[in-house]
Amino acid sequence: MKKLHTQEIEDALKDLSGWTLKDETIQKSFTFGDFKEAFSVMTHIAFECEKQNHHPNWENVYNSLNIQLSTHDAGGVTQKDIDLAKSIEEIVGKR
């Protein structure tokens, strides 16, 4: 999969509220009501990641979840990252 150019990423992020491009990744932070809710959403995201065979760098502290997406093999952001970000938005939107 080819690495996207900066303009391609920025155009794709227009449809992904709150996602930003930083250090060759797309990133977003989420805040939930408590740890249980954050972990539940992470679990749902994890199953989707397995389905797409694409996995995030993420960090969870209590009720917050920070996600960074990048395709390591391509050395930056690819369409796989954009697609996973869209799926994450759908999952979080259903909570």
Side-chain angles (χ1 to χ4, degrees):
M1 182 146 294
K2 79 171 186 77
K3 179 179 166 181
L4 298 175
H5 296 285
T6 301
Q7 189 59 54
E8 293 173 302
I9 298 166
E10 290 174 355
D11 289 345
L13 292 181
K14 290 176 184 175
D15 295 328
L16 289 165
S17 179
W19 288 85
T20 59
L21 174 63
K22 183 179 178 187
D23 300 327
E24 298 291 329
T25 69
I26 56 172
Q27 308 178 16
K28 184 170 181 179
S29 296
F30 298 91
T31 302
F32 302 95
D34 56 25
F35 176 75
K36 184 178 176 181
E37 184 181 4
F39 194 81
S40 175
V41 171
M42 287 177 68
T43 301
H44 195 148
I45 292 169
F47 281 101
E48 182 61 28
C49 291
E50 279 296 302
K51 181 178 167 186
Q52 293 186 28
N53 193 30
H54 194 52
H55 305 89
N57 291 330
W58 57 7
E59 177 186 43
N60 164 244
V61 178
Y62 183 59
N63 68 335
S64 67
L65 173 59
N66 302 308
I67 299 177
Q68 296 178 337
L69 300 176
S70 176
T71 304
H72 301 288
D73 293 347
V77 177
T78 68
Q79 189 60 47
K80 287 177 78 168
D81 302 299
I82 301 300
D83 294 343
L84 183 54
K86 288 177 182 178
S87 295
I88 290 169
E89 285 297 316
E90 288 178 24
I91 291 166
V92 173
K94 292 179 182 178
R95 65 175 177 95

